[in-house]
Each structure stands twice: as structure tokens, then as C-alpha cells.
Amino acid sequence: MFTSIAGKTVIVTGASKGIGRGIAKVFGRAGANVALVSRDEGAASSAVKEITDSGAKAEWFGADVADWDSVKDMVARVAASFGHVDILCANAGIFPQKKIVDMEPSDWDHVLSTNLKSTFLCVKACIPCFEEAGQGRVVVTSSITGPITGFPGWAHYGASKSGQLGFLKTAAMELVKYNTTINAVMPGNILTEGLQDLGQSFIDTMAASIPLRRLGSVEDIGNAALFFATNEAAYITGQQIVIDGGQILPESIDAIAAID
Ligand code: NAP
């Protein structure tokens, strides 16, 4: 068994839905105090209820992760409410699709600010808390898209997800001073509310291209994030783990067909 993280405080950005909500649930189930961060309280309130109903402490904190003042204020409010901040899951992200030929510089800036600059801002804002606690943990949600694969319309998104891993390497070295590790999860196709809206035939087509023949669940990502937060993962820093059901492995469509 892994050491308990009960009583630790985790900030999960982008926790109102999708992967962030899954991470928040997994940490809540493990007994952590969960600070759920998003801009809109609407969807977040049912996520908070789901966690508090399971017996854990959870609260919503509104913030725009791309804005420094907003992030600083959010971390201060979490620390005031729970007394300490021990773990940051920098997960919030957006993935609008636009091909380069149609992409405006403002589209690029918006995606890079929300996905990449936010990672830097959230880590920076949490450093004083980790210093005070004497240790800390950061888990970044990157993606296979960018660092490993490409998808038309996601040049800006892919750049932001690769950028997070670039940030991670140096951050891992600088955070040693605060007894803090930083690692990344790299999800493949995960069954979120947004993806479900695309319909069953889309989901079936995607699943057929994955060796394990199913999309990932949000808990699949939450479980990996939880591992990085445990004491047993204390000697792992600056690393990333792909969680994709083997999606990046096949050389071609023929390789998938050859499984059967
Ligand atoms: P999602 O379902 O669309 O949820 C995004 C979350 O981020 C929401 O809670 C949203 O709440 C929040 N958010 C967006 N912009 C924000 C901002 N500026 N400030 C604060 N919160 C913000 O997304 P998802 O699919 O779960 O993706 C979550 C992360 O996983 C992203 O980093 C994404 O790149 C990564 N990922 C997802 C997949 C996948 O298959 N879904 C695959 C690989 C990687 P508000 O809009 O209310 O702020």
C-alpha cells in the first residue's frame, strides 16, 4: 500500500469537469482536502458536492489560471481556508481546433497563456506554500498531442503541451530547494463530457485505434496523479508518464488489425 495522503491539501485547476474533476475525485477519495479551481462555479458546484458527499473536504475557488493576480489570490485563499497547500495539479487547459492557415496570433496567445503560462504561474504561486510546509508535489497535465503526436488544428495546443514538459525539466531542478517534486501525466484520449458530446460513433472510431480498445477514464489519469503525490514517488522528479491505452504504439492501422 502507498502512504496515505489524507489531510493534505491539493489544488486541482480545471476541476469543474473532465480530467480535473476525475483527479479531484480520486484525491478526495484518498482523504485529501480538495481545492477545485475553475472560472465558472456552475459546473464546479456539483463536483464539490460529489466529493463532500464522499466524506472529504472540498471547496471551489474561482480563478483564471492565465492571470497572475488571479492565481496568486486563489492560492492565498486556499491556504487561508485549508491552512496549508501540499500538492498542485496544474491541469486546466483548452483545446480549440484551428489550422495554422486560419490561426490568428491572438488564437495562439490565448492557448499558450491558458495552457502553458498558467503552469508557470500556478507553480510560482505555490512555492511559498511548499516552502512553509517543508515539502510539495506538482503534477502537470500535459498530453500525447504535441510531445509525441500531431493532429491537424492543434499546432498551438501541441506547442503548449510540449512547452509544459520543457518547463518541467528546469522546474524540477529549481524546486529541489523546496523539497518539491514535479512530474507530468500525458493522457491519450480520455472519455470526458466534451468527448461524449461528439457521439458514440466518434468514440467507437477512436477506441478502435487504441490497442486496449477503450478510451481512458478520468480516474485513470487521477490514479497516476495520485501516485506522483505519494511518499513512494518521492525520488521521481522531472518525469512524465503516458496514459493512453497504448495509443501511441502502433506503427500503422495494420498493426492494430494484427492484434486480433
Ligand atoms: P475540459 O473537460 O474542457 O475541462 C477544462 C477545465 O479547465 C474546466 O474545469 C474549465 O473550467 C477549466 N479552465 C479552462 N480555462 C481556464 C482558465 N483560464 N482558468 C481556470 N480554469 C480554466 O478539459 P479536459 O478534456 O478535462 O482537459 C483537461 C486537461 O487535460 C487539459 O490540460 C488538456 O490539455 C489535457 N488533456 C485532455 C485530454 C482529453 O482526452 N480530454 C487528452 C490529453 C490531455 P472553466 O471553463 O469554468 O474555467
Side-chain angles (χ1 to χ4, degrees):
M1 272 311 282
F2 292 113
T3 316
S4 169
I5 62 150
K8 303 226 170 188
T9 300
V10 59
I11 293 177
V12 184
T13 69
S16 61
K17 51 187 177 148
I19 291 175
R21 187 174 177 141
I23 294 173
K25 265 166 60 179
V26 168
F27 274 84
R29 229 180 271 149
N33 308 320
V34 189
L36 296 94
V37 177
S38 64
R39 290 165 302 179
D40 178 29
E41 187 173 9
S45 51
S46 73
V48 168
K49 185 171 180 320
E50 206 173 10
I51 297 171
T52 50
D53 282 353
S54 74
K57 284 190 198 156
E59 233 180 285
W60 174 74
F61 296 86
D64 178 351
V65 292
D67 181 87
W68 175 228
D69 288 338
S70 181
V71 169
K72 258 194 315 191
D73 176 64
M74 175 272 290
V75 173
R77 282 183 288 133
V78 174
S81 184
F82 289 120
H84 45 95
V85 174
D86 309 290
I87 304 153
L88 164 69
C89 292
N91 165 82
I94 53 169
F95 30 88
Q97 257 182 308
K98 208 175 257 189
K99 292 199 173 144
I100 296 163
V101 69
D102 300 318
M103 196 183 286
E104 297 298 332
S106 57
D107 295 323
W108 175 274
D109 289 344
H110 182 48
V111 169
L112 270 285
S113 295
T114 308
N115 296 1
L116 179 56
K117 184 180 166 195
S118 65
T119 307
F120 150 65
L121 296 181
C122 291
V123 169
K124 181 175 170 61
C126 284
I127 287 176
C129 299
F130 298 150
E131 191 170 23
E132 199 181 322
Q135 65 167 18
R137 288 281 195 278
V138 181
V139 184
V140 174
T141 306
S142 174
S143 177
I144 58 168
T145 310
I148 300 176
T149 62
F151 202 106
W154 277 337
H156 47 2
Y157 176 74
S160 73
K161 295 285 130 182
S162 289
Q164 287 178 305
L165 299 184
F167 170 77
L168 183 84
K169 305 295 172 196
T170 293
M173 299 181 73
E174 294 187 12
L175 291 176
V176 167
K177 187 169 174 192
Y178 312 101
N179 194 21
T180 293
T181 66
I182 176 167
N183 294 289
V185 288
M186 297 168 72
N189 278 282
I190 306 303
L191 198 51
T192 56
E193 299 92 323
L195 218 88
Q196 260 158 340
D197 288 346
L198 299 178
Q200 194 56 45
S201 99
F202 174 82
I203 290 167
D204 292 345
T205 308
M206 296 300 289
S209 70
I210 298 170
L212 284 181
R213 303 288 197 210
R214 70 166 175 91
L215 272 66
S217 70
V218 293
E219 282 85 2
D220 286 328
I221 308 304
N223 289 331
L226 184 71
F227 169 66
F228 280 135
T230 62
N231 287 348
E232 284 75 9
Y235 202 52
I236 305 171
T237 195
Q239 300 305 309
Q240 59 259 354
I241 185 164
V242 171
I243 305 152
D244 72 340
Q247 186 179 344
I248 59 168
L249 302 176
E251 281 185 10
S252 66
I253 294 170
D254 289 347
I256 286 275
I259 290 174
D260 295 321

